[in-house]
Amino acid sequence: MHDLSSSAFPATAETLRLAALEAARQAASLLKSHFRSGVQVEEKTNTHDLVTRIDRQSQELITRRLRQAVPDSWVLGEELVETDAGTRAPGKVQWIVDPIDGTSNFVHGIAFFCVSIAAAIDDQLVAAAIIDPVSGDEFSANLDAAYLNGTVLQPGPRPEQARANLMTDYPGAESMLKDGPLAMGLLGEWIQGFATVRRKVSAALALAHVAAGWCDATIGFDTKVWDVAAGAHLVRMAGGSYRGLGYGAQFAADHLCPGFIAQGPGADYPALNSAAERIRELRTV
C-alpha cells in the first residue's frame, strides 16, 4: 500500500490534477457545443437510464488524453469505448471517468451536468476534476486542497439541519422498487426536516456544490464509482466529510460503495444518518 500523504506524493497528485483538468476541459467543450442541439438518445437499461453518442465521444476523448498524459495509467469509465484503456495493476494510476454525469439533464436541455474525472492509486483517491460545461466552473483537488477556478475552496461551517440545503437523487425508480414505501417516506421526512431539498440528477455536480459550500449535504443509495469518486475527493479536500454506505458489505474504499453521505464542514445531519441505517436494515434482511 502506498503512502499517499501530501508530503509523500505532492508532485504526483498535482500532476494528476492538472492532467484531469485538461482532459475534462476538452470534454466540457464538446458537451457545451452539443448542448440543446437535439442529440439522439438511446436507452441503456430502461427509460430512466439514457446514453448518447456524445457520452461515448466524450469518453473516447478523455481516455486518449489521460493515457497520453500518464502512459502507464488505466481508465475505468462509465461508457465502453474502443480506445485502449490500459491494464489494471498494483501501483498504477487509475482514472475513474464519467464523461457526462447527468446525461438525462443534458438530453432534456437542463443545465446541470458535468464531466467527472478522479485519479486513484491502489483504491486511494489522489486527485480529481469536475467541470460544469455551461457555467464554466472548474472544480479540482490534489492531496493538499480543493480548488474552484484555481482558488482554494474553504467553505465555512454548515448550518444546523433545519436551515440546511440538501441535494439528492433519492428516491429513483430503482430504489423505489428496492425500498418500497420507505423510499417516499424518507423523502417526506427530508422535505420537512431540511430548509430545502433539491433533486438535481447529477451526483458528481451535487458533490462539487457541497465542496464549494453552495449545498450543505447530499446523499445517494444506488450510485456507481464514476458517479462519486471525483466528488468524494473534492468534498474531503474542502474540509467536508464523505462516508460510503455498503449496506453491510465491505469495500476497499468509501468511493467504491453503492451509497454515500457527503456533508460540508462541521455538518452531521441526523436525518441522513437515520435514513442510512433504515435502508441498511431493509436491504440486509
Side-chain angles (χ1 to χ4, degrees), residues 152-205:
V152 173
L153 282 171
Q154 294 180 312
R158 298 297 88 198
E160 67 272 23
Q161 182 175 293
R163 291 179 170 81
N165 168 21
L166 173 68
M167 281 190 191
T168 183
D169 297 335
Y170 183 88
E174 180 182 354
S175 53
M176 290 182 72
L177 289 174
K178 289 181 179 179
D179 301 333
L182 177 61
M184 293 305 295
L186 290 175
L187 180 60
E189 291 177 16
W190 295 339
I191 290 172
Q192 291 181 317
F194 286 88
T196 58
V197 177
R198 294 181 171 89
R199 181 177 169 83
K200 293 295 190 177
V201 200
S202 172
L205 199 48

Side-chain angles (χ1 to χ4, degrees), residues 212-225:
W214 304 337
C215 174
D216 301 309
T218 180
I219 187 170
F221 292 100
D222 296 288
T223 54
K224 302 293 191 296
V225 60

Side-chain angles (χ1 to χ4, degrees), residues 193-276:
F194 286 88
T196 58
V197 177
R198 294 181 171 89
R199 181 177 169 83
K200 293 295 190 177
V201 200
S202 172
L205 199 48
L207 286 162
H209 281 224
V210 172
W214 304 337
C215 174
D216 301 309
T218 180
I219 187 170
F221 292 100
D222 296 288
T223 54
K224 302 293 191 296
V225 60
W226 42 76
D227 298 324
V228 300
H233 192 55
L234 283 170
V235 168
R236 285 176 171 159
M237 296 313 301
S241 63
Y242 182 95
R243 175 162 64 96
L245 305 174
Y247 319 133
Q250 297 298 313
F251 293 85
D254 281 351
H255 66 279
L256 302 175
C257 294
F260 70 92
I261 297 173
Q263 300 171 109
D268 187 16
Y269 298 131
L272 303 185
N273 296 323
S274 173

